[in-house]
Amino acid sequence: MIKSPWLPQPTLAALWCVWIALAIAIVWLANATALDLALADQQFDFTQHSFTQKHVFFYETVMHVYAKQLFTVIWLALLLLAWLPERLLGHRLSTATRYKLRWIVLLALLNAIVVSCLKHQMPHACPWDIVRYGGSAPWVPTFTSHPALEAGHCFPAGHTTSGVWLSALGLLWLPQAPRKALLVTIAGLAVGFALGWAQQIRGAHFLSHTLTSLWLMCGWLLMVFTFSKSRIE
């Protein structure tokens, strides 16, 4: 078994720089602009005092319930492929592929656990829970200092984690085909963003909540690239 880096060191360094720059951009967007509120305002009907898309079948059932169930089934299938004894798989998967699948399912689980823990600690409420949109919770910009508040159970965006882990599938094409890996990773991030956007339309999240969840997933991937080794048979 030959071990080699996932990515060339210059590429890895550049990705870390981009990741840090994205963190700065997300903080700036949340604290220095009114984009979070502006996007939520677009979805809220101030005449009816409600998020009119909150219970629309496509957003509430298809994008929220069915999508989560679908991606959970996919995750479970990959989990079985990664850890089932080789004799049951008929040696159809290489050791290198199974190694990558294990990283993929572990990253998905790690991201979901971390986001869930943060949601139960952070004070930021969902749009439909804040005073501006008929709720009772105060509005707190995402990354600013604030008085002691009860947990808002909304930051970072939890539903985004149901699909954003698909970005880790890019590992299957590394280090042999980095361009394909990048495209797969971007596609996975797009799926996560789409799930988060659907929740924003319903009034369940602000944009900064969704972007933070995507940013965290990118961080886990970079840690794998940096502190583990790829395997080529």
Side-chain angles (χ1 to χ4, degrees):
M1 187 73 65
I2 302 173
K3 293 185 177 182
S4 63
W6 294 94
L7 294 166
Q9 290 302 313
T11 301
L12 188 58
L15 288 175
W16 274 109
C17 289
V18 170
W19 187 72
I20 293 170
L22 288 174
I24 296 171
I26 293 171
V27 172
W28 176 84
L29 179 150
N31 292 358
T33 77
L35 187 57
D36 271 347
L37 290 177
L39 291 175
D41 284 353
Q42 289 181 0
Q43 306 304 326
F44 188 77
D45 190 320
F46 286 92
T47 302
Q48 300 182 40
H49 302 288
S50 68
F51 285 98
T52 57
Q53 306 293 319
K54 183 176 181 178
H55 297 299
V56 170
F57 178 79
F58 177 74
Y59 297 117
E60 183 178 36
T61 303
V62 176
M63 292 296 286
H64 189 240
V65 179
Y66 293 167
K68 183 176 182 178
Q69 292 174 344
L70 171 63
F71 296 130
T72 299
V73 169
I74 294 173
W75 182 84
L76 289 172
L78 296 181
L79 179 67
L80 289 175
L81 289 175
W83 265 285
L84 274 177
E86 290 189 15
R87 65 179 182 276
L88 297 179
L89 295 174
H91 301 283
R92 295 176 183 175
L93 292 178
S94 67
T95 301
T97 299
R98 284 163 60 85
Y99 174 78
K100 293 173 183 179
L101 287 175
R102 289 173 183 177
W103 269 120
I104 291 167
V105 297
L106 286 173
L107 286 175
L109 185 61
L110 174 65
N111 195 49
I113 291 174
V114 170
V115 168
S116 179
C117 290
L118 287 174
K119 284 182 62 175
H120 286 82
Q121 297 296 324
M122 302 300 286
H124 311 291
C126 303
W128 57 36
D129 289 328
I130 69 172
V131 174
R132 183 184 184 92
Y133 305 114
S136 58
W139 157 247
V140 179
T142 306
F143 299 102
T144 58
S145 59
H146 50 76
L149 298 169
E150 293 184 2
H153 303 288
C154 201
F155 172 80
H159 188 52
T160 300
T161 64
S162 300
V164 73
W165 66 269
L166 295 172
S167 60
L169 290 173
L171 295 176
L172 294 173
W173 283 269
L174 287 176
Q176 300 91 339
R179 290 186 180 180
K180 289 182 180 179
L182 177 61
L183 291 175
V184 172
T185 298
I186 291 174
L189 293 173
V191 170
F193 182 80
L195 295 177
W197 186 260
Q199 286 295 85
Q200 290 172 221
I201 290 175
R202 297 182 63 228
H205 283 298
F206 289 109
L207 177 63
S208 60
H209 297 184
T210 299
L211 294 179
T212 300
S213 290
L214 268 63
W215 179 82
L216 284 171
M217 187 67 214
C218 291
W220 305 133
L221 284 170
L222 284 175
M223 289 183 187
V224 171
F225 296 156
T226 305
F227 301 111
S228 73
K229 294 291 184 179
S230 64
R231 292 186 178 181
I232 306 175
E233 292 184 329

